[in-house]
Amino acid sequence: MIVLHPVLEILGTRDFDLWPVVDPGAYAFLPLSGRLGAAEVGTAVMRVAECNDVDPADEDHPPRPADPLGGFLHGLLTVEGLFAPGGLRVTDTATGVTFLPGCCNGLDERLDWFEVLDGDGWAGFGHGPSPLAERVGDAVRLTVDVDRADSPVIELPATDLRRLLAEAERDLADFHRLATEWTDRYVPGHATAVADALARALGLPAPTEWR
C-alpha cells in the first residue's frame, strides 16, 4: 500500500514556552492533518514562525516588538516570502521504503508534483538526500536519493498519485482550519494575522475567505 502525507520538518522544540508544544526529538517530520492535538498544532506553528524569524530588510517594516510573543512572531507576520520546510512523504508499507523531502524543500513546492503528472515529467525535492520523481509511461517512479546508485525506489500508477495528491490537499486544508481555531485560543491578539501567514507559508487560500 502506498500512503502519502504532507509533512513539516521539525528540528526539536528545545525550551520553547510561549505555548504548548511537543518535542518529537532532534529531527523529525510532523504529518499535517485535521487530526492533530493542540500541542502538535503548536509545534507546527512554532516551526513555521521559527523558520521565518528574521528582521525584514525593508526599513518601512515596523521594528521587532519587545514582548516575547510579538518578537517571536515578528518575522512570520512581516516577511513577504514565507517558508514552511518539508513537503510530501510517500511510504510503501509493503517494502518499508519511504520517500522524504530533502533539505531546503518547502511545503509550497508540492505543486511541482503536478509537473511530474502533467508537465515535464520529473521534479526534484531538495538535497541531502536528493529525491526525484519521474513519469514513466502510466506510472511514476520515486527515487529516494538520486545521488546513490543503490537508492531504493517506489513505483505507483500515475492515477493513484493524482488521487493521493488530492487527499494531501484536503489534509493541509483540514490542518489549516484546525490551526486557525488554535490561533483564537493561544495567540488571540494575533489570531487572524497568524492564520493568514500560515496560509501563505503553506500555499493555501487565506483563512479570512472562510473564517
Side-chain angles (χ1 to χ4, degrees):
M1 180 179 179
I2 307 296
V3 294
L4 183 153
H5 297 105
V7 294
L8 182 70
E9 180 189 63
I10 307 294
L11 300 183
T13 56
R14 296 178 292 282
D15 299 320
F16 186 83
D17 61 2
L18 293 176
W19 55 71
V21 294
V22 295
D23 191 348
Y27 185 84
F29 286 96
L30 176 66
L32 301 182
S33 73
R35 299 178 294 278
L36 299 184
E40 291 173 308
V41 174
T43 302
V45 176
M46 180 218 71
R47 178 58 175 147
V48 177
E50 178 184 59
C51 282
N52 296 281
D53 186 20
V54 296
D55 290 308
D58 189 341
E59 294 181 357
D60 292 334
H61 279 81
R64 184 184 293 270
D67 68 287
L69 178 59
F72 181 69
L73 294 174
H74 183 62
L76 180 67
L77 302 184
T78 57
V79 170
E80 191 66 28
L82 297 175
F83 179 69
L88 300 182
R89 180 179 68 189
V90 184
T91 302
D92 184 339
T93 60
T95 64
V97 174
T98 299
F99 179 95
L100 288 167
C103 178
C104 302
N105 195 75
L107 269 159
D108 61 318
E109 296 177 70
R110 68 189 181 280
L111 295 180
D112 289 351
W113 284 87
F114 291 98
E115 283 295 314
V116 179
L117 293 173
D118 305 316
D120 293 337
W122 69 275
F125 300 97
H127 57 89
S130 299
L132 178 71
E134 302 173 276
R135 181 72 180 260
V136 183
D138 293 331
V140 175
R141 178 183 297 132
L142 309 180
T143 303
V144 172
D145 187 356
V146 293
D147 293 334
R148 287 178 48 190
D150 61 345
S151 174
V153 299
I154 296 173
E155 291 196 6
L156 71 162
T159 53
D160 287 1
L161 177 59
R162 196 179 298 276
R163 172 181 54 81
L164 291 168
L165 292 175
E167 292 174 359
E169 288 302 306
R170 288 193 290 271
D171 279 342
L172 278 174
D174 289 346
F175 163 75
H176 197 215
R177 289 187 178 89
L178 188 64
T180 299
E181 296 171 2
W182 179 95
T183 64
D184 288 331
R185 178 177 179 183
Y186 292 99
V187 290
H190 306 277
T192 298
V194 169
D196 286 348
L198 287 173
R200 290 191 291 116
L202 297 173
L204 293 171
T208 49
E209 296 180 13
W210 48 263
R211 189 183 180 112

